[in-house]
Amino acid sequence: MAEYQNIRTGRHCAFVLHAHLVFVTKYRHKVFKDAHLGRMEEIMRAVCADFECELAEFNGENNHVHLLVNFPPKVALSKLVNSLKGVSSRRLRQEYPELVRHYWRAQRLWSGSYFAGSVGGAPLSIVKQYIERQTRPV
């Protein structure tokens, strides 16, 4: 029962739901620096808070990011992903004009696809270590 130490409760349920999300940049362009990833983490934490979710872990490399999200059962994961990608794309392109030049035609930061894996087979500590060990650009 050690992995169920952080059980969250709703009005009619108790739950422990985690998802490992991976977002890739459009055309896999290597555009992110550490400052971009830092600001992106702040934006994504705010979006998660709006959905009553918790961003348990965040990291990335120059062309993709990994998120470990703890979410309630009332949240549709596809809607959360849509909001995370949409809000982060819009705000990062507004705040960092150098990102816009890579996507002058597409007007999108993220690829249309994403990876979402339910975390339960591997212990959360292993998934967290994997995300922490991503080689963050300087």
Side-chain angles (χ1 to χ4, degrees), residues 35-85:
H36 300 132
L37 293 175
R39 179 62 180 131
M40 189 183 314
E41 182 175 3
E42 293 171 6
I43 292 167
M44 290 190 173
R45 282 193 190 282
V47 171
C48 284
D50 290 344
F51 278 82
E52 298 176 19
C53 298
E54 176 195 357
L55 183 58
E57 195 66 46
F58 175 91
N59 207 347
E61 295 187 1
N62 54 14
N63 65 355
H64 70 279
V65 294
H66 291 265
L67 296 85
L68 181 62
V69 180
N70 181 353
F71 62 99
K74 68 181 180 180
V75 171
L77 205 51
S78 60
K79 296 209 181 289
L80 174 63
V81 166
N82 187 32
S83 203
L84 285 167
K85 289 171 70 174

Side-chain angles (χ1 to χ4, degrees), residues 7 19 41 50 54 64 77 89-90 108 112 129 133 136:
I7 296 176
E41 182 175 3
D50 290 344
E54 176 195 357
H64 70 279
L77 205 51
S89 175
R90 185 175 58 256
R108 288 177 186 85
Q129 285 176 356
R133 290 182 181 156
R136 197 171 189 141

